[in-house]
Amino acid sequence: MYDYKSAFEAAVGKVREEGRYRVFADLKRVAGRFPRAVRRREDGSEQDVVVWCSNDYLGMGQHPVVLDAMKSAVDQAGAGAGGTRNISGTTRWAVDLERELAAWHRKEAALLFTSGYVANEATLATLQKILPGLIIFSDALNHASMIAGIRHGGCERHVFRHNDLEHLETLLAAAPKDAPKLVAFESVYSMDGDIADLKGTIEVARRYGAMTYLDEVHAVGLYGETGAGIAERDGVLDQIDIIECTLGKAVGVMGGYIAADAVIVDAIRSWASGFIFTTSLPPALTAGALASVRHLKANPQLRAAHQARAAELKRRLGAVGIQVMESSTSHIVPVFVGDPVHCKMVSDMLLEEFGIYVQPINYPTVPRGTERLRFTPSPDHDDAMMDALVQAMDALWTRCNVARLPAVA
Ligand SMILES: *Cc1c(COP(=O)(O)O)cnc(C)c1O
């Protein structure tokens, strides 16, 4: 008989052998004291830690405006949505949130999904049903959820070198002139912290009659006058055909969405299996996200504080010769380690000895030899936390003999 157990053991063994077996940190975030959290060790003992790798970039996950809205929605409407959007799952907050999101991105309509992953997967797969013969041009560093959606549909696809517009143009030029085409890319790339050339990409796409699909997951709430993302910052909101975002990162709650022309949203709404056949987001989440988005729109000083904290951490690490990857022109602070064993070791020591939590980023998330630690300072990471972090890193860099750059003042 088939030995199922060994097959599963072999699957886990393979991951272990490659040094990418993951152990999750068991954390309880402390509302009102983020980025502090309490970690539970395997033996059950507890440790206070400062989280340095959360994607709750602005601490909206603990903002009283958000928490009050969520509690109030539970009190008014209960726990779950009760069904799919089609079957009694369309709650008032979902409708209001979609309107708010559409207006934020200056689009006619928006559509909620249960996560950003699902939004990408469902939309990119469904576009291929709606546009037979679609050819998708995908940036080499696109997120796994975009790749999943593109593959799921099975259409012809071409991967262009990361942010390489000449390569994109070569590929577009080689495709049949009349075929429907889509260029799929991100604004802020979360591992290198670089930002795509939106204007340039749009310009090339338009020249070849291609639609544009932009993932602003790591930019929404964080860039632009009202926080609508890099497309707002760069003044090109009206030139992107489909914008995709999450409500789980800077918005601090959970869920995903697309924003686009009404007819595009209507078509996806009508055809996307990953939208139609799943229970919709519960009132507490949509109400919390709505409150968060309204707050983000009205409070640009949060974005300024966020950028200032990121710049400060980059400066302080640079001052002790710790190499922040030059690629980063965003709020993401990737620190180059360049070796998987060192990377994991430094991360373990930061946690156990210093109560500093930052997870190692190893292959296959990033190429071998570019292993790194990825810090995401928020407005709530104060000077004392930064001092503690930089001192701990400085000590460990010496102890573990990690290469440094000449210190920059
Ligand atoms: C996190 C992430 C997603 C998925 O969003 P979730 O709401 O977490 O599912 C999509 N795209 C990118 C680039 C991401 O980093």
Side-chain angles (χ1 to χ4, degrees), residues 28-334:
K28 185 159 90 179
R29 307 206 306 159
V30 186
R33 293 185 62 224
F34 294 168
R36 293 179 203 279
V38 179
R39 172 185 169 228
R40 185 166 58 183
R41 295 191 185 87
E42 278 192 16
D43 64 8
S45 65
E46 293 190 333
Q47 177 195 20
D48 288 333
V49 300
V50 173
V51 178
W52 276 97
C53 51
S54 172
N55 286 329
D56 183 1
Y57 290 122
L58 301 173
M60 289 307 291
Q62 67 174 344
H63 199 287
V65 162
V66 177
L67 304 191
D68 288 348
M70 295 184 76
K71 288 179 210 164
S72 162
V74 168
D75 288 341
Q76 290 178 61
T84 65
R85 287 295 290 278
N86 187 37
I87 304 174
S88 97
T90 296
T91 66
R92 182 167 308 169
W93 292 280
V95 175
D96 291 348
L97 178 57
E98 285 178 340
R99 285 191 190 130
E100 189 79 32
L101 295 170
W104 203 14
H105 297 280
R106 281 178 241 150
K107 296 289 177 199
E108 289 171 358
L111 189 68
L112 289 170
F113 294 83
T114 44
S115 73
Y117 187 103
V118 175
N120 268 334
E121 206 278 340
T123 306
L124 286 164
T126 305
L127 286 168
Q128 301 174 45
K129 288 193 225 163
I130 296 168
L131 304 166
L134 180 66
I135 306 172
I136 299 184
F137 301 81
S138 173
D139 187 285
L141 294 190
N142 275 346
H143 190 257
S145 55
M146 295 170 84
I147 297 168
I150 294 167
R151 290 207 176 136
H152 177 168
C155 76
E156 182 178 333
R157 56 185 186 268
H158 300 280
V159 176
F160 60 95
R161 287 188 291 274
H162 176 53
N163 205 13
D164 181 338
L165 299 187
E166 271 178 42
H167 191 212
L168 171 62
E169 174 144 23
T170 307
L171 294 170
L172 280 165
K177 207 162 174 277
D178 295 332
K181 304 178 192 76
L182 179 83
V183 176
F185 63 123
E186 299 180 24
S187 55
V188 175
Y189 285 84
S190 77
M191 292 302 151
D192 292 351
D194 61 325
I195 300 177
D197 174 359
L198 267 55
K199 278 192 180 140
T201 309
I202 291 164
E203 210 255 311
V204 173
R206 292 205 154 184
R207 208 174 319 137
Y208 294 88
M211 290 179 76
T212 44
Y213 181 102
L214 180 65
D215 176 318
E216 289 248 49
V217 161
H218 290 278
V220 74
L222 305 176
Y223 294 86
E225 181 56 30
T226 71
I230 299 291
E232 183 184 35
R233 185 196 75 174
D234 291 359
V236 294
L237 275 172
D238 59 330
Q239 293 169 53
I240 298 283
D241 293 297
I242 303 174
I243 292 175
E244 181 277 338
C245 296
T246 184
L247 301 168
K249 290 170 183 167
V251 177
V253 190
M254 188 186 177
Y257 63 94
I258 57 164
D261 283 351
V263 66
I264 295 177
V265 167
D266 207 22
I268 300 295
R269 186 184 73 86
S270 308
W271 283 87
S273 186
F275 170 80
I276 298 170
F277 297 106
T278 190
T279 300
S280 65
L281 291 170
L285 293 189
T286 41
L290 181 59
S292 181
V293 168
R294 286 182 176 153
H295 186 83
L296 288 169
K297 275 186 183 177
N299 287 279
Q301 79 282 0
L302 268 175
R303 287 179 276 287
H306 180 228
Q307 291 298 322
R309 288 279 82 188
E312 179 63 15
L313 182 60
K314 287 179 182 176
R315 191 189 66 73
R316 288 185 188 211
L317 290 169
V320 294
I322 291 176
Q323 190 183 348
V324 175
M325 290 173 60
E326 274 176 13
S327 55
S328 179
T329 52
S330 69
H331 58 281
I332 290 162
V333 184

